[in-house]
mmCIF file of all heavy atoms in Angstrom:
data_model
loop_
_atom_site.group_PDB
_atom_site.id
_atom_site.type_symbol
_atom_site.label_atom_id
_atom_site.label_comp_id
_atom_site.label_asym_id
_atom_site.label_seq_id
_atom_site.Cartn_x
_atom_site.Cartn_y
_atom_site.Cartn_z
ATOM 1 N N VAL S 35 51.023 7.249 -3.927
ATOM 2 C CA VAL S 35 50.736 6.313 -2.858
ATOM 3 C C VAL S 35 49.383 5.672 -3.121
ATOM 4 O O VAL S 35 48.380 6.384 -3.329
ATOM 5 C CB VAL S 35 50.704 7.050 -1.496
ATOM 6 C CG1 VAL S 35 50.301 6.093 -0.359
ATOM 7 C CG2 VAL S 35 52.067 7.654 -1.245
ATOM 8 N N ALA S 36 49.346 4.346 -3.116
ATOM 9 C CA ALA S 36 48.088 3.608 -3.265
ATOM 10 C C ALA S 36 47.550 3.281 -1.892
ATOM 11 O O ALA S 36 48.309 2.804 -1.011
ATOM 12 C CB ALA S 36 48.309 2.326 -4.074
ATOM 13 N N LEU S 37 46.282 3.544 -1.639
ATOM 14 C CA LEU S 37 45.669 3.296 -0.385
ATOM 15 C C LEU S 37 44.624 2.208 -0.518
ATOM 16 O O LEU S 37 43.829 2.200 -1.483
ATOM 17 C CB LEU S 37 44.970 4.557 0.166
ATOM 18 C CG LEU S 37 45.843 5.754 0.398
ATOM 19 C CD1 LEU S 37 44.987 6.942 0.853
ATOM 20 C CD2 LEU S 37 46.884 5.467 1.466
ATOM 21 N N SER S 38 44.592 1.322 0.471
ATOM 22 C CA SER S 38 43.467 0.355 0.523
ATOM 23 C C SER S 38 42.248 1.081 1.015
ATOM 24 O O SER S 38 42.327 2.272 1.429
ATOM 25 C CB SER S 38 43.834 -0.767 1.502
ATOM 26 O OG SER S 38 43.856 -0.259 2.833
ATOM 27 N N ARG S 39 41.115 0.451 0.992
ATOM 28 C CA ARG S 39 39.877 1.071 1.510
ATOM 29 C C ARG S 39 40.048 1.433 2.984
ATOM 30 O O ARG S 39 39.591 2.489 3.405
ATOM 31 C CB ARG S 39 38.686 0.156 1.296
ATOM 32 C CG ARG S 39 38.271 0.044 -0.132
ATOM 33 C CD ARG S 39 37.089 -0.856 -0.316
ATOM 34 N NE ARG S 39 36.781 -0.996 -1.713
ATOM 35 C CZ ARG S 39 35.704 -1.541 -2.203
ATOM 36 N NH1 ARG S 39 34.793 -1.996 -1.393
ATOM 37 N NH2 ARG S 39 35.496 -1.609 -3.489
ATOM 38 N N ALA S 40 40.640 0.564 3.719
ATOM 39 C CA ALA S 40 40.849 0.822 5.190
ATOM 40 C C ALA S 40 41.755 2.008 5.374
ATOM 41 O O ALA S 40 41.528 2.822 6.242
ATOM 42 C CB ALA S 40 41.402 -0.439 5.873
ATOM 43 N N GLU S 41 42.817 2.088 4.612
ATOM 44 C CA GLU S 41 43.725 3.237 4.691
ATOM 45 C C GLU S 41 43.059 4.526 4.285
ATOM 46 O O GLU S 41 43.300 5.576 4.900
ATOM 47 C CB GLU S 41 44.996 2.981 3.846
ATOM 48 C CG GLU S 41 45.904 1.904 4.431
ATOM 49 C CD GLU S 41 47.002 1.455 3.488
ATOM 50 O OE1 GLU S 41 46.755 1.468 2.266
ATOM 51 O OE2 GLU S 41 48.072 1.127 3.988
ATOM 52 N N ALA S 42 42.255 4.473 3.233
ATOM 53 C CA ALA S 42 41.524 5.664 2.803
ATOM 54 C C ALA S 42 40.562 6.127 3.900
ATOM 55 O O ALA S 42 40.407 7.314 4.146
ATOM 56 C CB ALA S 42 40.775 5.373 1.531
ATOM 57 N N LYS S 43 39.933 5.160 4.567
ATOM 58 C CA LYS S 43 39.035 5.518 5.670
ATOM 59 C C LYS S 43 39.809 6.154 6.795
ATOM 60 O O LYS S 43 39.363 7.164 7.385
ATOM 61 C CB LYS S 43 38.252 4.278 6.129
ATOM 62 C CG LYS S 43 37.224 4.541 7.199
ATOM 63 C CD LYS S 43 36.520 3.287 7.586
ATOM 64 C CE LYS S 43 35.523 3.569 8.688
ATOM 65 N NZ LYS S 43 34.746 2.380 9.094
ATOM 66 N N ALA S 44 40.968 5.568 7.153
ATOM 67 C CA ALA S 44 41.797 6.142 8.193
ATOM 68 C C ALA S 44 42.266 7.540 7.830
ATOM 69 O O ALA S 44 42.272 8.450 8.680
ATOM 70 C CB ALA S 44 42.993 5.237 8.471
ATOM 71 N N LEU S 45 42.594 7.789 6.550
ATOM 72 C CA LEU S 45 43.015 9.102 6.100
ATOM 73 C C LEU S 45 41.855 10.098 6.269
ATOM 74 O O LEU S 45 42.061 11.203 6.767
ATOM 75 C CB LEU S 45 43.417 9.019 4.643
ATOM 76 C CG LEU S 45 43.744 10.365 3.979
ATOM 77 C CD1 LEU S 45 44.874 11.119 4.671
ATOM 78 C CD2 LEU S 45 44.086 10.127 2.475
ATOM 79 N N SER S 46 40.665 9.708 5.867
ATOM 80 C CA SER S 46 39.501 10.644 6.017
ATOM 81 C C SER S 46 39.245 10.941 7.493
ATOM 82 O O SER S 46 38.934 12.086 7.817
ATOM 83 C CB SER S 46 38.280 10.082 5.313
ATOM 84 O OG SER S 46 37.778 8.936 5.962
ATOM 85 N N GLN S 47 39.344 9.972 8.341
ATOM 86 C CA GLN S 47 39.106 10.165 9.765
ATOM 87 C C GLN S 47 40.202 11.085 10.361
ATOM 88 O O GLN S 47 39.912 11.980 11.181
ATOM 89 C CB GLN S 47 39.054 8.853 10.521
ATOM 90 C CG GLN S 47 37.843 8.048 10.182
ATOM 91 C CD GLN S 47 37.834 6.622 10.820
ATOM 92 O OE1 GLN S 47 38.894 6.124 11.128
ATOM 93 N NE2 GLN S 47 36.672 6.065 10.916
ATOM 94 N N ALA S 48 41.443 10.909 9.905
ATOM 95 C CA ALA S 48 42.533 11.753 10.423
ATOM 96 C C ALA S 48 42.289 13.202 9.968
ATOM 97 O O ALA S 48 42.483 14.151 10.727
ATOM 98 C CB ALA S 48 43.873 11.235 9.903
ATOM 99 N N LEU S 49 41.907 13.400 8.697
ATOM 100 C CA LEU S 49 41.631 14.752 8.219
ATOM 101 C C LEU S 49 40.489 15.409 8.969
ATOM 102 O O LEU S 49 40.596 16.577 9.365
ATOM 103 C CB LEU S 49 41.272 14.709 6.714
ATOM 104 C CG LEU S 49 42.484 14.518 5.758
ATOM 105 C CD1 LEU S 49 41.983 14.177 4.373
ATOM 106 C CD2 LEU S 49 43.327 15.789 5.749
ATOM 107 N N LEU S 50 39.448 14.649 9.231
ATOM 108 C CA LEU S 50 38.338 15.220 10.015
ATOM 109 C C LEU S 50 38.754 15.572 11.395
ATOM 110 O O LEU S 50 38.341 16.637 11.942
ATOM 111 C CB LEU S 50 37.152 14.232 10.021
ATOM 112 C CG LEU S 50 36.411 14.086 8.697
ATOM 113 C CD1 LEU S 50 35.447 12.874 8.776
ATOM 114 C CD2 LEU S 50 35.642 15.359 8.347
ATOM 115 N N ALA S 51 39.558 14.715 12.047
ATOM 116 C CA ALA S 51 40.020 15.009 13.395
ATOM 117 C C ALA S 51 40.901 16.247 13.436
ATOM 118 O O ALA S 51 40.737 17.100 14.318
ATOM 119 C CB ALA S 51 40.763 13.781 13.950
#
Side-chain angles (χ1 to χ4, degrees):
V35 177
L37 299 175
S38 68
R39 288 181 184 191
E41 290 169 326
K43 184 177 178 180
L45 174 60
S46 68
Q47 290 173 338
L49 283 167
L50 288 170

